[in-house]
């Protein structure tokens, strides 16, 4: 049984690329999902606060955020080149394991320092072929659409990788 969690771009891409090791939430993940592989669903809308300007390509926003946390441009470009599916929206873009969760307990540069924030510690993150499906709040069982009839959502004409 596949279980997924929806995360807005560019955060979903940063997680499945193995760059972002913390997912910040206001709630603790259920114990039954700790140590389990969870599918990462990229929502159909990006996190507008993570973009520098409206309709910014997801890859460009992810590269800037990664750079702010010490990831070299060369390393980011290398892994992004080999995993373009990580930047799509509206479906599963990869998988990861939630290793543990702490309340305001992480020193990762990705951890929010807002009070009462749960830091989900992410390990074993990988990209996967894009699989379109609708997201939901919380954990959910994805219902997949036929891939031939669905195109990954793009933020501007052309490709998210522009």
């Amino acid at each position: 049984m596949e279980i997924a969690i929806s995360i807005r771009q560019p955060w979903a891409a940063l997680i499945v690329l193995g760059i972002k090791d913390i997912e910040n939430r206001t709630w603790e993940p259920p114990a039954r999902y700790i140590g389990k592989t969870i599918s990462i669903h990229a929502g159909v809308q990006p996190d507008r606060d993570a973009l520098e300007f409206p309709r910014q390509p997801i890859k460009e926003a992810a590269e800037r955020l990664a750079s702010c946390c010490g990831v070299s441009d060369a390393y980011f470009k290398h892994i992004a080149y080999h995993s373009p599916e990580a930047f799509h929206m509206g479906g599963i873009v990869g998988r990861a394991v939630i290793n543990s969760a702490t309340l305001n307990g992480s020193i990762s540069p990705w951890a929010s320092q807002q009070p009462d924030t749960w830091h989900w510690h992410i390990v074993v993150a990988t990209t996967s072929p894009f699989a379109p499906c609708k997201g939901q709040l919380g954990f959910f069982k994805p219902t997949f659409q036929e891939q031939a009839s669905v195109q990954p959502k793009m933020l501007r004409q052309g490709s998210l990788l522009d």
Side-chain angles (χ1 to χ4, degrees):
M1 169 176 67
E2 184 172 359
I3 295 295
I5 188 79
S6 193
I7 300 172
R8 289 184 177 188
Q9 289 287 25
W11 309 116
L14 290 167
I15 286 173
V16 301
L17 291 171
I19 294 172
K20 185 175 185 264
D21 63 347
I22 296 289
E23 170 60 8
N24 298 292
R25 295 283 170 145
T26 58
W27 48 281
E28 181 179 11
R32 68 183 174 273
Y33 299 133
I34 302 295
K36 305 286 187 212
T37 300
I38 304 296
S39 293
I40 305 299
H41 175 272
V44 295
Q45 294 295 322
D47 179 351
R48 303 256 183 239
D49 292 336
L51 305 180
E52 288 182 294
F53 54 88
R55 302 178 63 80
Q56 180 181 27
I58 294 301
K59 180 182 174 193
E60 186 178 294
E63 184 174 9
R64 178 184 57 83
L65 292 164
S67 178
C68 290
C69 285
V71 175
S72 76
D73 290 344
Y75 178 73
F76 182 87
K77 284 179 171 57
H78 173 75
I79 61 172
Y81 175 81
H82 292 289
S83 301
E85 64 279 358
F87 304 98
H88 292 314
M89 299 168 68
I92 304 296
V93 294
R95 290 170 178 66
V97 173
I98 302 169
N99 190 46
S100 63
T102 56
L103 184 60
N104 297 99
S106 177
I107 60 169
S108 168
W110 298 104
S112 169
Q113 298 308 313
Q114 295 295 318
D116 301 322
T117 300
W118 281 92
H119 300 150
W120 298 6
H121 301 264
I122 306 294
V123 296
V124 195
T126 61
T127 59
S128 63
F130 180 73
C133 69
K134 288 188 177 187
Q136 296 178 27
L137 294 176
F139 289 94
F140 65 97
K141 296 176 189 172
T143 303
F144 296 100
Q145 303 165 12
E146 283 193 39
Q147 196 140 0
S149 66
V150 179
Q151 293 295 319
K153 181 176 165 103
M154 304 297 173
L155 276 185
R156 67 176 176 156
Q157 190 175 33
S159 168
L160 289 172
L161 303 179
D162 290 343

